[in-house]
Structure formats: C-alpha cells, structure tokens
Amino acid sequence: MSKIPDTVWMERALQLAASGIGTVQPNPMVGAVIVYNNTIIGEGWHRKYGEPHAEVNAIMSVKDHSLLTKSTMYVTLEPCSHYGKTPPCSELICKHGIPKVVICNKDPNEKVNGKGIEYLQKNGVEIVTGVLADKGLQLNKRFFTYHLLKRPYIILKWAQTANGFMDIIRDKGPEYYWITNPELKILSHKLRNEEQAILVGMNTLINDHPQLTNRLFGTNQPYRFVTSRDVLSTKPAPFTIIPDEVSSLLRSLYDRKIESVIIEGGKTTLLKFIESGIWDEAMVYQGDQEWNEGLKAPLISNFFESYSKKIRNNTIQIYKNTPFLSSFLDHLS
C-alpha cells in the first residue's frame, strides 16, 4: 500500500481546527489527527478557551493507545511547551511515545515560538514543518496578526445601496430603514458570531442606537466598543469606550487581548482606517435599491485582491489588504 501524502491528513486537521471559530480566542484554532498505517485512529480540535487542546483531544480519542508509538500526529500549529490553563501538549506527546509529528505552522506566541518543536526534538520525536502552511496562515489570520503585528485583525463592514449611499439624510429620512435583504442580515450576525469584537464611532451610537449583538446566528456575542475623543462622565453601557485615534484604539484592543474586530462605522470611523491603510478585510454589503440622496459610502481604492458573492438580489464585495502577513510565512513554516 502506497503512503498517503501528508497534505491529505493536514487538510483534515485544518478542517477540524476551523470548528473552533468564535469559541477559542485568544487561543488559536488548532486541529490534530493521528494516523497509523494510512488510517486515522484519533482526531480532535481545540473546542473552547480554557479547555483541552487539540492534541489532548486527539490522543484521548484513540481506542488502542499501544498504536501511538507507531503513529504520526498531524497538527495545525506547533504544540505548546508551557503550563497555562492546560499542561504542555509537547510533554503529552512524548509521554505517549508518538515518534513523528507533522506541523502546519510554527507558533509565534512568545510563550512557544519554537520551544515546543525544540522539546519534541530533544526527546527523539521526528518533526516535519510547513505542510500546507499557507492554508494555516489563512485559518489563523487573527491569531498571527495579533502576535506578529501586535494588533487585532481588522474587518471593515458597511452596507450601501446600488448607487453607493450608506445613510439617509437625518432630518429627511425615516427613523428606521434597511438597505440589504434578510439573508445578508443573517450573514452580518454570523460575522458577529465569529469575530471577537465590534466597534462603532460615538456618532453612530447616538444616531442609530445599535445593539451590535448577535441575535440570528449561533450563541457567541462580540465585545462591544465605541470610540470617543472625550472622556464621558456617563458610560454608554454595555459598550466600552476607547480612543478614536487609530493607533491608540488598536493598542487599547491589543491590551485587552482582542484578536479580531469588526469596524461597523460610521463613515468617519471607517475612513480613518481606509486612509491609514491599516485594515485587513473590507466587506461591503450592497442592496439593489437606489436612493436619490443621502450619505455616500467610502471607496476602497488600494487593496491586494477583491471578489464578490451574489446572495439572491444582493451582493457582498470583499476586499483583502493583507499581502504583508504572507511575508511572515517563512517564519511560520
């Protein structure tokens, strides 16, 4: 029987890792697969922050532990080597005598950063790194951005009409309006389910009274932030006030261990990120209606790539601005 390529097993590990989206922050999403004789005998993923890591769940799922000494573990991120909320996974791997570990990405967290690989190698474990490293980079873009760039992964998001208006004229428009179809509203809440935080400017909070909660998809709720240049005597609970200048704002989120944030507006807040060039994705939800007047939406002119998705009679245009993160790929392989 010919040996199945490492990429096949790593694809499965990445698929498992993705199951942890929205529940493991500030930890990374990690999946692990244990293979014996071209057959998966164990698999697991990191399910929730503070709970066992993927390697532990994979090992515990193996029915016959005697096979571990003849097996290979495939894991999407370098096993940890330090004591945190859980014991080191690298020690557990050695304890069970697993002779070979294939790793997608190295861990840039200063608590790990090569120490897990070093521990395994010192204990006689064969190590292979960089298998599907580019896919691992995309999976854990939030985690890598946080540790390598010292800021959260930034997603700009707004809705606009077919002819580019994002807001009504306040003294002429209705109290309530909706630009896009119900499907895009659900997708908006799905995004809130997956990302760690959401942020608006103070004017948006005052004018629109948004809840910024996830009510339509899953159970995770984002942390809610509002920017202000003033220190308010009355705090707009349940929102947390942070500075409105971009670098100070991002530092405040970083210090709170926020790995990803949705910037939902308004236009002034969005433009601060667009003009600074400090953003990673922009999601523009476009409806099919047209307005005669209103506030024009921002324009994205400098970006790395873009593509669109058609959702019935509406469109989501997605812009990417993260080629610089790919420059770390050699370091993570």
Side-chain angles (χ1 to χ4, degrees):
M1 181 186 298
S2 59
K3 183 179 183 297
I4 296 175
D6 288 342
T7 53
V8 172
W9 310 121
M10 192 60 76
E11 284 276 12
R12 175 56 181 164
L14 288 165
Q15 182 184 44
L16 290 166
S19 301
I21 190 166
T23 61
V24 300
Q25 297 99 329
N27 285 351
M29 291 178 278
V30 182
V33 170
I34 299 172
V35 176
Y36 168 73
N37 196 25
N38 275 349
T39 302
I40 293 177
I41 62 170
E43 57 182 30
W45 70 93
H46 184 31
R47 295 173 179 267
K48 189 176 181 180
Y49 177 68
E51 294 186 0
H53 290 183
E55 300 93 324
V56 177
N57 289 330
I59 289 172
M60 293 302 102
S61 74
V62 176
K63 293 181 179 179
D64 184 356
H65 278 202
S66 69
L67 298 178
L68 290 172
T69 59
K70 297 171 279 188
S71 299
T72 298
M73 173 180 283
Y74 295 81
V75 61
T76 58
L77 196 70
E78 175 184 359
C80 63
S81 57
H82 64 286
Y83 283 86
K85 288 185 176 293
T86 60
C89 293
S90 54
E91 287 188 9
L92 184 68
I93 290 168
C94 294
K95 176 183 176 181
H96 285 278
I98 297 173
K100 183 177 180 179
V101 176
V102 179
I103 298 167
C104 178
N105 296 121
K106 296 176 183 176
D107 190 338
N109 186 337
E110 61 183 15
K111 293 180 179 179
V112 186
N113 197 18
K115 299 182 184 73
I117 290 174
E118 182 181 4
Y119 181 91
L120 292 169
Q121 289 176 325
K122 283 184 177 180
N123 284 274
V125 179
E126 180 185 350
I127 299 293
V128 176
T129 63
V131 177
L132 299 183
D134 54 340
K135 290 189 175 183
L137 178 67
Q138 178 61 27
L139 173 76
N140 275 314
K141 57 192 178 184
R142 304 162 184 84
F143 177 77
F144 292 134
T145 297
Y146 181 83
H147 285 282
L148 294 171
L149 301 180
K150 308 302 181 186
R151 64 164 176 81
Y153 190 85
I154 301 165
I155 300 173
L156 310 180
K157 177 192 167 291
W158 69 87
Q160 66 182 42
T161 64
N163 58 341
F165 291 105
M166 70 180 299
D167 200 358
I168 57 174
I169 297 177
R170 288 288 162 176
D171 58 357
K172 293 183 179 181
E175 291 185 4
Y176 177 83
Y177 64 94
W178 197 260
I179 294 175
T180 55
N181 63 29
E183 290 89 340
L184 264 63
K185 185 174 183 179
I186 292 172
L187 287 176
S188 180
H189 285 240
K190 179 178 183 289
L191 188 66
R192 295 177 184 181
N193 185 68
E194 295 175 350
E195 306 306 332
Q196 203 174 358
I198 189 167
L199 177 148
V200 295
M202 183 59 71
N203 286 340
T204 297
L205 185 68
I206 293 170
N207 291 333
D208 295 345
H209 309 289
Q211 297 181 59
L212 303 183
T213 56
N214 167 32
R215 304 178 298 280
L216 301 175
F217 195 100
T219 59
N220 300 321
Q221 294 294 341
Y223 294 102
R224 290 171 281 177
F225 293 93
V226 59
T227 64
S228 175
R229 66 184 61 181
D230 303 313
V231 177
L232 302 182
S233 57
T234 303
K235 305 300 182 184
F239 295 84
T240 300
I241 295 182
I242 56 177
D244 71 344
E245 192 273 324
V246 171
S247 61
S248 299
L249 177 161
L250 294 178
R251 183 68 202 184
S252 182
L253 293 176
Y254 176 81
D255 290 343
R256 289 175 166 85
K257 297 186 178 179
I258 299 297
E259 291 187 355
S260 66
V261 59
I262 309 163
I263 311 297
E264 282 222 354
K267 184 176 180 178
T268 299
T269 302
L270 289 163
L271 281 175
K272 287 180 181 180
F273 288 89
I274 293 171
E275 291 171 355
S276 71
I278 304 175
W279 58 278
D280 300 293
E281 291 184 43
M283 296 185 178
V284 182
Y285 288 32
Q286 183 167 300
D288 61 347
Q289 58 183 295
E290 294 191 359
W291 294 352
N292 294 324
E293 59 183 1
L295 178 68
K296 279 289 189 178
L299 294 175
I300 300 283
S301 56
N302 296 317
F303 53 88
F304 177 60
E305 64 176 341
S306 70
Y307 57 94
S308 61
K309 298 178 181 178
K310 192 76 174 177
I311 311 292
R312 199 159 56 83
N313 60 329
N314 287 183
T315 303
I316 301 177
Q317 187 72 34
I318 299 173
Y319 300 90
K320 300 270 191 173
N321 189 40
T322 53
F324 54 85
L325 195 56
S326 299
S327 66
F328 291 102
L329 195 54
D330 289 342
H331 170 72
L332 298 171
S333 299

